[in-house]
Amino acid sequence: MRFNIYGRFQIVVEKIDGAWIAYQVSQGIRTPVEDLVIPHDVAEHEMLTYLDDIYHEYAGFGQVIERVS
């Protein structure tokens, strides 16, 4: 799953061996986001809300996190 975080950066989240792993994506390079811990029991449909809870300080007025296809 790929998410645009308030237009500031993008994160790819994958479930590997039962654990969520996040990567920041910039210019085609994926860098692990080591300070982002996503509990294994967060469901895929809850991910956008979870990321909003974590990154809300980055939001400007009217900005949202969007899932990118």
Side-chain angles (χ1 to χ4, degrees):
M1 295 176 288
R2 187 179 192 124
F3 297 92
N4 181 345
I5 309 298
Y6 307 115
R8 297 178 181 263
F9 55 94
Q10 291 192 357
I11 288 181
V12 171
V13 179
E14 299 175 341
K15 198 159 204 174
I16 300 173
D17 295 329
W20 289 111
I21 307 295
Y23 302 93
Q24 187 167 343
V25 180
S26 177
Q27 300 176 1
I29 299 171
R30 291 170 30 144
T31 306
V33 183
E34 302 200 9
D35 60 343
L36 174 60
V37 177
I38 304 169
H40 72 280
D41 60 346
V42 173
E44 185 173 327
H45 71 275
E46 299 172 318
M47 191 61 65
L48 195 139
T49 301
Y50 183 81
L51 292 173
D52 187 53
D53 288 344
I54 298 297
Y55 289 114
H56 66 272
E57 293 91 9
Y58 289 101
F61 181 75
Q63 291 181 317
V64 296
I65 293 178
E66 298 173 315
R67 187 166 177 179
V68 180
S69 302

Coordinates of all heavy atoms in Angstrom, one line a residue:
M1 N 0.9 -1.2 0.0 CA 0.0 0.0 0.0 C 0.9 1.2 0.0 O 1.9 1.3 0.7 CB -0.9 0.0 1.2 CG -1.9 -1.1 1.4 SD -2.8 -1.0 2.9 CE -1.5 -1.5 4.1
R2 N 0.5 2.2 -0.8 CA 1.3 3.4 -0.9 C 0.4 4.6 -0.4 O -0.7 4.7 -0.8 CB 1.8 3.6 -2.3 CG 2.7 4.7 -2.5 CD 3.1 4.8 -4.0 NE 4.2 5.7 -4.2 CZ 5.4 5.4 -4.7 NH1 5.6 4.2 -5.2 NH2 6.3 6.2 -4.8
F3 N 1.0 5.5 0.4 CA 0.3 6.6 0.9 C 1.0 7.9 0.7 O 2.3 7.9 0.9 CB 0.1 6.4 2.4 CG -0.8 5.2 2.8 CD1 -0.2 4.0 3.0 CD2 -2.2 5.3 2.8 CE1 -0.9 2.9 3.4 CE2 -2.9 4.2 3.1 CZ -2.3 3.0 3.4
N4 N 0.3 8.9 0.3 CA 0.8 10.3 0.2 C 0.5 11.0 1.5 O -0.6 11.1 1.9 CB 0.1 11.0 -1.0 CG 0.7 12.4 -1.1 OD1 1.3 13.0 -0.3 ND2 0.4 13.0 -2.3
I5 N 1.6 11.3 2.3 CA 1.4 11.9 3.6 C 1.4 13.4 3.5 O 2.4 14.1 3.4 CB 2.6 11.4 4.5 CG1 2.8 9.9 4.5 CG2 2.3 12.0 6.0 CD1 1.6 9.1 5.0
Y6 N 0.1 13.9 3.4 CA -0.1 15.4 3.4 C 0.6 16.1 2.2 O 1.0 17.3 2.4 CB 0.2 16.0 4.7 CG -0.5 15.4 5.8 CD1 0.2 14.7 6.8 CD2 -1.9 15.3 5.9 CE1 -0.5 14.1 7.9 CE2 -2.6 14.7 7.0 CZ -1.8 14.1 7.9 OH -2.5 13.5 9.0
G7 N 1.0 15.4 1.2 CA 1.7 16.0 0.1 C 3.2 16.3 0.4 O 3.9 16.9 -0.4
R8 N 3.7 15.8 1.5 CA 5.0 16.1 1.9 C 6.0 14.9 1.5 O 7.1 15.2 1.2 CB 5.1 16.3 3.4 CG 4.4 17.5 3.9 CD 4.4 17.7 5.4 NE 3.7 18.9 5.8 CZ 4.2 20.1 6.0 NH1 5.5 20.2 5.9 NH2 3.4 21.1 6.4
F9 N 5.5 13.7 1.7 CA 6.3 12.5 1.3 C 5.4 11.3 1.1 O 4.2 11.4 1.4 CB 7.4 12.2 2.4 CG 6.9 12.1 3.8 CD1 6.6 10.8 4.3 CD2 6.7 13.2 4.6 CE1 6.1 10.6 5.6 CE2 6.3 13.0 5.9 CZ 6.0 11.7 6.4
Q10 N 6.0 10.3 0.6 CA 5.2 9.1 0.4 C 5.8 7.9 1.2 O 7.0 7.8 1.3 CB 5.1 8.7 -1.1 CG 4.3 9.7 -1.9 CD 3.9 9.2 -3.3 OE1 4.4 8.2 -3.7 NE2 3.1 10.0 -4.0
I11 N 4.9 7.0 1.6 CA 5.3 5.8 2.4 C 4.6 4.6 1.7 O 3.5 4.7 1.3 CB 4.8 5.9 3.9 CG1 5.7 7.0 4.6 CG2 4.9 4.6 4.6 CD1 5.3 7.1 6.1
V12 N 5.4 3.6 1.6 CA 4.9 2.3 1.2 C 4.9 1.4 2.4 O 5.9 1.3 3.2 CB 5.8 1.6 0.1 CG1 5.4 0.2 -0.2 CG2 5.7 2.4 -1.2
V13 N 3.7 0.7 2.7 CA 3.6 -0.2 3.8 C 3.3 -1.6 3.3 O 2.4 -1.8 2.5 CB 2.4 0.3 4.8 CG1 2.3 -0.6 5.9 CG2 2.7 1.7 5.2
E14 N 4.1 -2.6 3.8 CA 3.9 -3.9 3.4 C 3.9 -4.8 4.6 O 4.5 -4.5 5.6 CB 5.1 -4.4 2.5 CG 5.2 -3.6 1.2 CD 6.5 -4.1 0.4 OE1 7.4 -4.7 1.0 OE2 6.5 -3.8 -0.8
K15 N 3.1 -5.9 4.5 CA 3.1 -6.9 5.6 C 4.0 -8.0 5.2 O 3.8 -8.7 4.2 CB 1.7 -7.4 5.9 CG 1.6 -8.1 7.3 CD 0.2 -8.1 7.7 CE 0.2 -8.2 9.2 NZ -1.2 -8.1 9.8
I16 N 5.1 -8.2 6.0 CA 6.1 -9.3 5.7 C 6.2 -10.1 7.0 O 6.5 -9.6 8.1 CB 7.4 -8.6 5.4 CG1 7.3 -7.8 4.1 CG2 8.5 -9.7 5.2 CD1 8.5 -7.0 3.8
D17 N 6.0 -11.4 6.8 CA 6.0 -12.4 7.9 C 5.2 -11.9 9.1 O 5.6 -12.0 10.3 CB 7.5 -12.6 8.3 CG 8.3 -13.3 7.3 OD1 7.7 -14.1 6.5 OD2 9.5 -13.0 7.2
G18 N 4.0 -11.4 8.8 CA 3.1 -11.0 9.9 C 3.4 -9.6 10.5 O 2.7 -9.2 11.4
A19 N 4.4 -8.9 10.0 CA 4.7 -7.6 10.6 C 4.6 -6.5 9.5 O 5.0 -6.8 8.4 CB 6.2 -7.6 11.2
W20 N 4.1 -5.4 9.9 CA 4.1 -4.2 9.0 C 5.4 -3.6 8.9 O 6.1 -3.3 9.9 CB 3.0 -3.2 9.4 CG 1.6 -3.6 9.3 CD1 0.8 -3.9 10.4 CD2 0.9 -3.8 8.1 NE1 -0.5 -4.3 9.9 CE2 -0.4 -4.2 8.5 CE3 1.2 -3.7 6.8 CZ2 -1.4 -4.5 7.6 CZ3 0.2 -4.0 5.8 CH2 -1.1 -4.4 6.2
I21 N 5.9 -3.4 7.6 CA 7.2 -2.7 7.4 C 6.9 -1.5 6.5 O 6.1 -1.6 5.5 CB 8.2 -3.6 6.6 CG1 8.3 -5.0 7.3 CG2 9.5 -2.9 6.4 CD1 8.9 -4.9 8.7
A22 N 7.4 -0.3 6.9 CA 7.2 0.9 6.2 C 8.5 1.4 5.5 O 9.6 1.3 6.1 CB 6.6 2.0 7.1
Y23 N 8.3 2.0 4.3 CA 9.5 2.5 3.6 C 9.0 3.9 3.1 O 7.9 4.1 2.6 CB 9.8 1.7 2.3 CG 10.1 0.3 2.6 CD1 9.2 -0.7 2.6 CD2 11.4 -0.1 2.9 CE1 9.5 -2.0 2.9 CE2 11.8 -1.4 3.2 CZ 10.8 -2.4 3.2 OH 11.1 -3.7 3.4
Q24 N 9.9 4.9 3.2 CA 9.7 6.2 2.6 C 10.2 6.1 1.2 O 11.3 5.5 1.0 CB 10.4 7.3 3.4 CG 10.1 8.7 2.8 CD 10.5 9.8 3.8 OE1 10.8 9.6 4.9 NE2 10.5 11.0 3.3
V25 N 9.5 6.6 0.2 CA 9.9 6.5 -1.2 C 10.2 7.9 -1.7 O 9.4 8.9 -1.5 CB 8.7 6.0 -2.0 CG1 9.1 5.9 -3.5 CG2 8.3 4.6 -1.5
S26 N 11.4 8.1 -2.3 CA 11.8 9.3 -2.9 C 12.7 9.0 -4.1 O 13.7 8.3 -3.9 CB 12.6 10.1 -1.8 OG 13.0 11.3 -2.4
Q27 N 12.3 9.5 -5.2 CA 13.0 9.4 -6.5 C 13.3 7.9 -6.8 O 14.4 7.5 -7.2 CB 14.3 10.2 -6.4 CG 14.0 11.7 -6.3 CD 15.3 12.5 -6.1 OE1 16.4 11.9 -6.2 NE2 15.2 13.8 -6.0
G28 N 12.3 7.1 -6.5 CA 12.4 5.6 -6.8 C 13.2 4.8 -5.8 O 13.4 3.6 -6.0
I29 N 13.7 5.5 -4.7 CA 14.5 4.8 -3.7 C 13.6 4.6 -2.5 O 13.0 5.5 -2.0 CB 15.7 5.6 -3.3 CG1 16.6 5.8 -4.6 CG2 16.5 4.9 -2.2 CD1 17.8 6.7 -4.4
R30 N 13.6 3.3 -2.0 CA 12.8 3.0 -0.8 C 13.8 2.9 0.4 O 14.7 2.2 0.4 CB 12.1 1.7 -0.9 CG 11.0 1.7 -1.9 CD 10.5 0.4 -2.3 NE 10.5 -0.7 -1.3 CZ 9.5 -1.6 -1.1 NH1 8.5 -1.6 -1.9 NH2 9.6 -2.5 -0.2
T31 N 13.5 3.7 1.4 CA 14.3 3.8 2.7 C 13.4 3.3 3.8 O 12.4 3.9 4.0 CB 14.8 5.2 2.9 OG1 15.5 5.7 1.8 CG2 15.8 5.2 4.1
P32 N 13.9 2.3 4.6 CA 13.1 1.9 5.8 C 12.8 3.1 6.7 O 13.7 3.9 7.0 CB 13.9 0.8 6.4 CG 14.9 0.4 5.4 CD 15.1 1.6 4.5
V33 N 11.5 3.1 7.2 CA 11.2 4.1 8.2 C 11.3 3.4 9.6 O 10.3 2.8 10.0 CB 9.7 4.7 8.0 CG1 9.4 5.8 9.0 CG2 9.6 5.2 6.5
E34 N 12.4 3.5 10.2 CA 12.7 2.8 11.4 C 12.0 3.3 12.6 O 11.8 2.5 13.6 CB 14.2 2.7 11.6 CG 14.9 2.0 10.3 CD 16.2 1.5 10.6 OE1 16.6 1.4 11.7 OE2 16.8 1.1 9.6
D35 N 11.6 4.5 12.6 CA 10.9 5.1 13.8 C 9.4 5.0 13.7 O 8.7 5.4 14.6 CB 11.4 6.5 14.1 CG 11.0 7.5 12.9 OD1 10.8 7.0 11.8 OD2 11.0 8.7 13.1
L36 N 8.9 4.3 12.7 CA 7.5 4.1 12.6 C 7.2 2.6 12.9 O 7.6 1.7 12.2 CB 7.0 4.4 11.2 CG 5.5 4.1 10.9 CD1 4.6 4.8 11.8 CD2 5.2 4.4 9.4
V37 N 6.5 2.4 14.0 CA 6.1 1.1 14.4 C 4.6 0.9 14.2 O 3.8 1.7 14.8 CB 6.5 0.8 15.9 CG1 6.1 -0.6 16.3 CG2 8.0 1.0 16.1
I38 N 4.2 0.0 13.4 CA 2.8 -0.3 13.1 C 2.5 -1.7 13.8 O 3.1 -2.7 13.4 CB 2.5 -0.3 11.6 CG1 3.0 1.0 11.0 CG2 1.0 -0.6 11.4 CD1 2.9 1.0 9.5
P39 N 1.6 -1.7 14.8 CA 1.2 -2.9 15.4 C 0.7 -3.9 14.4 O 0.0 -3.6 13.4 CB 0.2 -2.5 16.4 CG 0.4 -1.1 16.6 CD 0.9 -0.5 15.4
H40 N 1.1 -5.2 14.6 CA 0.7 -6.3 13.6 C -0.8 -6.4 13.5 O -1.3 -6.9 12.5 CB 1.3 -7.6 14.0 CG 0.7 -8.2 15.3 ND1 1.1 -7.8 16.5 CD2 -0.2 -9.2 15.4 CE1 0.3 -8.5 17.4 NE2 -0.4 -9.3 16.7
D41 N -1.6 -6.0 14.5 CA -3.0 -6.2 14.5 C -3.8 -5.0 13.8 O -5.0 -5.0 13.8 CB -3.6 -6.5 15.9 CG -3.3 -5.3 16.9 OD1 -2.5 -4.4 16.6 OD2 -3.9 -5.4 17.9
V42 N -3.0 -4.0 13.3 CA -3.7 -3.0 12.5 C -4.1 -3.6 11.2 O -3.3 -4.1 10.4 CB -2.8 -1.7 12.3 CG1 -3.4 -0.7 11.3 CG2 -2.4 -1.1 13.6
A43 N -5.4 -3.5 10.9 CA -5.9 -4.1 9.6 C -5.6 -3.1 8.5 O -5.4 -1.9 8.6 CB -7.4 -4.3 9.7
E44 N -5.6 -3.7 7.3 CA -5.3 -2.9 6.1 C -6.2 -1.7 5.9 O -5.8 -0.6 5.6 CB -5.3 -3.8 4.8 CG -4.9 -3.1 3.6 CD -4.8 -4.1 2.4 OE1 -4.5 -5.2 2.6 OE2 -5.1 -3.6 1.3
H45 N -7.5 -2.0 6.2 CA -8.5 -0.9 6.0 C -8.4 0.2 7.1 O -9.0 1.2 7.0 CB -9.9 -1.5 6.0 CG -10.4 -2.0 7.3 ND1 -10.1 -3.3 7.7 CD2 -11.2 -1.5 8.3 CE1 -10.7 -3.5 8.9 NE2 -11.3 -2.4 9.3
E46 N -7.6 -0.1 8.2 CA -7.4 0.9 9.2 C -6.1 1.7 9.1 O -5.8 2.6 9.8 CB -7.3 0.2 10.6 CG -8.6 -0.6 11.0 CD -8.4 -1.4 12.2 OE1 -7.3 -2.1 12.4 OE2 -9.3 -1.4 13.0
M47 N -5.3 1.3 8.1 CA -4.0 1.9 7.9 C -4.0 3.4 7.7 O -3.2 4.1 8.3 CB -3.2 1.2 6.8 CG -1.7 1.6 6.7 SD -0.8 1.1 8.2 CE -0.9 -0.7 8.1
L48 N -4.9 3.9 6.9 CA -4.9 5.4 6.7 C -5.2 6.1 8.0 O -4.5 7.1 8.2 CB -6.0 5.7 5.6 CG -5.9 7.0 5.0 CD1 -6.2 7.0 3.5 CD2 -6.9 8.0 5.7
T49 N -6.1 5.6 8.7 CA -6.4 6.3 10.0 C -5.2 6.2 11.0 O -4.9 7.2 11.7 CB -7.7 5.6 10.7 OG1 -8.8 5.8 9.8 CG2 -8.0 6.3 12.0
Y50 N -4.6 5.0 11.0 CA -3.4 4.9 11.9 C -2.3 5.9 11.5 O -1.7 6.5 12.3 CB -2.9 3.4 11.8 CG -1.7 3.2 12.7 CD1 -2.0 3.0 14.1 CD2 -0.4 3.3 12.3 CE1 -0.9 2.8 15.0 CE2 0.6 3.1 13.2 CZ 0.4 2.9 14.5 OH 1.4 2.7 15.4
L51 N -2.0 6.0 10.2 CA -1.0 6.9 9.7 C -1.4 8.3 10.0 O -0.5 9.1 10.4 CB -0.7 6.7 8.2 CG -0.1 5.4 7.9 CD1 0.0 5.2 6.3 CD2 1.3 5.2 8.5
D52 N -2.6 8.7 9.9 CA -3.1 10.0 10.2 C -2.9 10.3 11.7 O -2.5 11.4 12.1 CB -4.6 10.2 9.9 CG -5.1 11.6 10.0 OD1 -4.4 12.5 9.5 OD2 -6.1 11.8 10.7
D53 N -3.1 9.3 12.6 CA -2.9 9.5 14.0 C -1.4 9.8 14.3 O -1.0 10.6 15.2 CB -3.3 8.3 14.8 CG -4.8 8.1 14.9 OD1 -5.5 9.1 14.6 OD2 -5.3 7.0 15.2
I54 N -0.5 9.1 13.6 CA 0.9 9.2 13.8 C 1.5 10.5 13.2 O 2.3 11.2 13.9 CB 1.7 8.0 13.1 CG1 1.3 6.7 13.8 CG2 3.2 8.2 13.2 CD1 1.6 6.6 15.2
Y55 N 1.1 10.9 12.0 CA 1.7 12.0 11.3 C 0.9 13.3 11.3 O 1.2 14.2 10.6 CB 2.0 11.6 9.8 CG 3.1 10.6 9.7 CD1 2.8 9.3 9.2 CD2 4.4 11.0 10.0 CE1 3.9 8.4 9.1 CE2 5.4 10.1 9.9 CZ 5.2 8.8 9.4 OH 6.2 7.9 9.3
H56 N -0.2 13.4 12.1 CA -1.1 14.6 12.1 C -0.3 15.9 12.3 O -0.8 16.9 11.8 CB -2.2 14.4 13.0 CG -1.8 14.5 14.5 ND1 -1.4 13.3 15.2 CD2 -1.7 15.5 15.3 CE1 -1.1 13.7 16.4 NE2 -1.2 15.0 16.5
E57 N 0.8 15.9 12.9 CA 1.6 17.2 13.1 C 2.1 17.7 11.8 O 2.3 18.9 11.7 CB 2.8 16.9 14.0 CG 2.5 16.6 15.4 CD 2.4 15.1 15.7 OE1 2.7 14.3 14.7 OE2 1.9 14.7 16.7
Y58 N 2.2 16.9 10.7 CA 2.6 17.4 9.4 C 1.5 18.0 8.6 O 1.8 18.6 7.6 CB 3.2 16.2 8.6 CG 4.5 15.7 9.1 CD1 4.6 14.5 9.9 CD2 5.7 16.3 8.8 CE1 5.8 14.0 10.4 CE2 6.9 15.8 9.3 CZ 7.0 14.7 10.1 OH 8.2 14.2 10.5
A59 N 0.3 17.9 9.0 CA -0.9 18.3 8.2 C -1.0 19.8 8.3 O -0.9 20.5 9.3 CB -2.1 17.7 8.7
G60 N -1.3 20.4 7.1 CA -1.7 21.8 7.0 C -3.2 21.8 7.0 O -3.9 20.8 6.8
F61 N -3.8 23.0 7.0 CA -5.2 23.1 6.9 C -5.8 22.5 5.7 O -5.3 22.7 4.6 CB -5.6 24.6 7.0 CG -7.1 24.8 6.9 CD1 -7.9 24.6 8.1 CD2 -7.7 25.2 5.8 CE1 -9.2 24.7 8.1 CE2 -9.1 25.4 5.7 CZ -9.8 25.2 6.9
G62 N -6.7 21.6 5.9 CA -7.4 20.9 4.8 C -6.6 19.8 4.1 O -7.1 19.1 3.2
Q63 N -5.4 19.5 4.6 CA -4.6 18.4 4.0 C -5.0 17.0 4.6 O -5.4 17.0 5.8 CB -3.1 18.6 4.2 CG -2.6 19.8 3.5 CD -1.1 19.9 3.7 OE1 -0.6 19.8 4.8 NE2 -0.4 20.2 2.6
V64 N -4.9 16.0 3.8 CA -5.3 14.7 4.2 C -4.2 13.7 3.7 O -3.5 14.0 2.8 CB -6.7 14.2 3.7 CG1 -7.8 15.1 4.2 CG2 -6.7 14.2 2.1
I65 N -4.2 12.5 4.3 CA -3.4 11.4 3.8 C -4.2 10.7 2.8 O -5.4 10.4 3.0 CB -3.0 10.5 5.0 CG1 -2.0 11.2 5.9 CG2 -2.3 9.2 4.4 CD1 -1.6 10.4 7.1
E66 N -3.6 10.4 1.7 CA -4.3 9.7 0.6 C -3.6 8.4 0.2 O -2.4 8.3 0.2 CB -4.4 10.6 -0.7 CG -5.1 11.9 -0.5 CD -5.0 12.8 -1.7 OE1 -3.9 12.9 -2.2 OE2 -6.0 13.3 -2.0
R67 N -4.4 7.4 -0.1 CA -3.8 6.1 -0.6 C -3.6 6.3 -2.1 O -4.5 6.8 -2.8 CB -4.8 4.9 -0.3 CG -4.1 3.6 -0.7 CD -4.9 2.5 -0.2 NE -4.2 1.2 -0.6 CZ -4.6 0.0 -0.3 NH1 -5.6 -0.1 0.5 NH2 -4.0 -1.0 -0.7
V68 N -2.4 6.0 -2.5 CA -2.0 6.1 -3.9 C -2.1 4.8 -4.6 O -1.6 3.8 -4.0 CB -0.6 6.7 -4.0 CG1 -0.2 6.9 -5.5 CG2 -0.5 8.0 -3.3
S69 N -2.6 4.7 -5.8 CA -2.7 3.5 -6.5 C -1.4 3.0 -7.0 O -0.5 3.8 -7.4 CB -3.7 3.6 -7.7 OG -4.9 4.0 -7.3

